[in-house]
Amino acid sequence: MSSIFFMIIQVIAIVLVAPLFDGMARKLRAKLQSREGIPDFFQTYRDIYKLMKRARTGPNCAHWVFKTGPYTLFATGAALLAAIPITYSTNTFAGAYSDILVFIYLGALLRFIFGATSIDSGNPFAGVGGGREQIIGIFVEPVMMISLLVVILLASTTNLVEIQHMVRTGQIGYQTPAFAVASISFLWAMYVEAGRNPYDLAEAEQELQEGVLGEYSGSDFSLAHAALILKQFAMIGLFLTIFEPWNFENPFLALIGFIFKAGVFYVAAVFIDNFGPRFKILTSFKNSAIPPLIVSFIALILYVVGV
C-alpha cells in the first residue's frame, strides 16, 4: 500500500516539475541559436494552462481511438513513471510492478497508441508521423532489448528494485565489462527514445515529426504533449535506475535527487540537439543505429564469454 502511495507521489511531483525543465530546455535552445525564445522558464506552464482552457476539437472522421488518445497517452506515460523505483527503492515487493518487462510493455503500448491515434485522425501527414514513430522503434528497440537483456542476465532478475540494490551494493556494476558496455548502448537508446534531435524536433514540423499532435488542439494537445514529456522523463529515469542508481534512501530526498539528475539530463541534451546535424530517418538513421547495435551485441558477447 505504501508503495502505491509513493508511486502516486512521484508521478504527481514529476508531472508538476517536468514543464519547468522543458521551459529551461526551450530557453537554452533559443540562446544557443541566438534567438530570443520564450520569456522565462515558466512558459511551458502558461502554454499548458492556456491550452487546457480551450474546448476540444477534432476531425469529423475521427473515431473513439482518436478521441480517447490524449487520456490513454497520458495514463500510459504516468504508468511508465510509476514503474521507476524512485521513492520506494527499498521495497522489493513493489517489483511486481516495478519490472523491466512491465516497463517495456508500457513503452510499446504508448508507441502503439501514438500510431493508432495518428492513423485514426484521418490526416495523412499525422499518419506519416505515426509511422515515423514506429520506424524509430524498429531501430531503437533491438538496441534497448539487448542492453537490458545483459543487465537481466547479470542480475538474474527483472525486478528493478532488486537490480537497483545490486548495483548500489556492487554485486553487479561497472566493474563488469558487459554491464559497462551495455550502459553505452542503452544511453543511445534512451536519448533517441526521449524524442530528441537529430531524430526529432518537438517544437517544429509537428505534422510530420509529432504525428497525431498536429491534429490535436486545446486540452487534448496539452495532455498528449505532456504525455510525451512524461515518456522522456521515464526513459531518463530507467537509465538512472539501472546505471546510475545512487540516491538517498529517504523517499522524499530520493525524489528530489532524482528530479535534479533527470532534469540535468533533460536540459543537457539540448547541447546535443543544437550542435548535432539533422538526419533523414530512412537513410542516415539506420546507419547511425548500427554502431549502438554492435555495441549492444559486444556487451552480450562479453556476458556469454564471462567477461
Side-chain angles (χ1 to χ4, degrees):
M1 190 65 185
S2 61
S3 298
I4 296 175
F5 170 76
F6 284 121
M7 286 178 187
I8 295 172
I9 290 294
Q10 72 183 37
V11 170
I12 292 175
I14 295 173
V15 166
L16 293 176
V17 174
L20 175 64
F21 289 108
D22 188 65
M24 289 181 181
R26 293 170 65 184
K27 187 69 176 178
L28 179 60
R29 185 183 296 113
K31 290 295 182 185
L32 292 173
Q33 295 173 353
S34 300
R35 295 187 288 110
E36 182 61 28
I38 59 177
D40 54 48
F41 298 153
F42 301 99
Q43 183 61 43
T44 303
Y45 287 105
R46 288 193 288 271
D47 291 343
I48 292 174
Y49 177 71
K50 180 177 64 179
L51 290 168
M52 292 297 288
K53 292 193 299 182
R54 295 181 179 175
R56 301 183 71 190
T57 59
N60 292 329
C61 61
H63 304 90
W64 63 271
V65 176
F66 177 85
K67 295 174 182 174
T68 58
Y71 303 102
T72 50
L73 281 171
F74 187 85
T76 309
L80 274 173
L81 271 180
I84 304 296
I86 304 167
T87 54
Y88 53 93
S89 59
T90 57
N91 188 348
T92 55
F93 293 107
Y97 180 72
S98 180
D99 190 282
I100 288 179
L101 298 180
V102 171
F103 193 94
I104 290 173
Y105 287 137
L106 287 173
L109 177 62
L110 193 145
R111 194 187 299 281
F112 171 78
I113 295 171
F114 189 88
T117 51
S118 298
I119 295 172
D120 194 46
S121 69
N123 184 337
F125 288 106
V128 170
R132 181 181 182 280
E133 179 69 15
Q134 311 308 312
I135 292 173
I136 289 176
I138 291 173
F139 288 115
V140 175
E141 286 178 4
V143 178
M144 182 181 296
M145 296 293 183
I146 296 172
S147 304
L148 291 176
L149 177 61
V150 172
V151 174
I152 292 171
L153 291 172
L154 287 169
S156 301
T157 180
T158 57
N159 186 321
L160 279 170
V161 177
E162 293 183 3
I163 292 173
Q164 192 178 53
H165 177 73
M166 289 180 186
V167 178
R168 283 178 176 175
T169 56
Q171 298 177 55
I172 61 172
Y174 291 100
Q175 70 275 15
T176 306
F179 184 91
V181 175
S183 72
I184 298 172
S185 53
F186 189 83
L187 182 63
W188 176 85
M190 179 205 73
Y191 176 75
V192 178
E193 281 286 5
R196 314 308 295 254
N197 276 338
Y199 312 111
D200 211 349
L201 184 59
E203 293 181 323
E205 303 172 21
Q206 290 179 350
E207 68 276 12
L208 289 179
Q209 297 200 5
E210 292 294 326
V212 72
L213 292 190
E215 281 298 300
Y216 282 129
S217 61
S219 57
D220 286 344
F221 176 79
S222 176
L223 271 179
H225 184 61
L228 296 185
I229 295 178
L230 294 185
K231 179 195 172 188
Q232 293 173 354
F233 270 83
M235 293 307 304
I236 295 172
L238 183 61
F239 176 82
L240 293 176
T241 295
I242 296 175
F243 297 104
E244 299 291 336
W246 296 276
N247 205 340
F248 298 101
E249 290 192 3
N250 181 281
F252 297 102
L253 291 178
L255 181 58
I256 294 172
F258 171 84
I259 289 174
F260 176 76
K261 289 195 294 184
V264 169
F265 267 80
Y266 189 89
V267 176
V270 171
F271 288 96
I272 304 176
D273 295 352
N274 191 66
F275 297 112
R278 296 283 301 277
F279 294 129
K280 292 182 178 179
I281 190 166
L282 292 178
T283 54
S284 301
F285 187 30
K286 63 182 179 183
N287 294 329
S288 62
I290 291 175
L293 183 62
I294 294 174
V295 172
S296 64
F297 270 115
I298 291 173
L300 185 59
I301 292 170
L302 288 174
Y303 170 79
V304 172
V305 300
V307 177

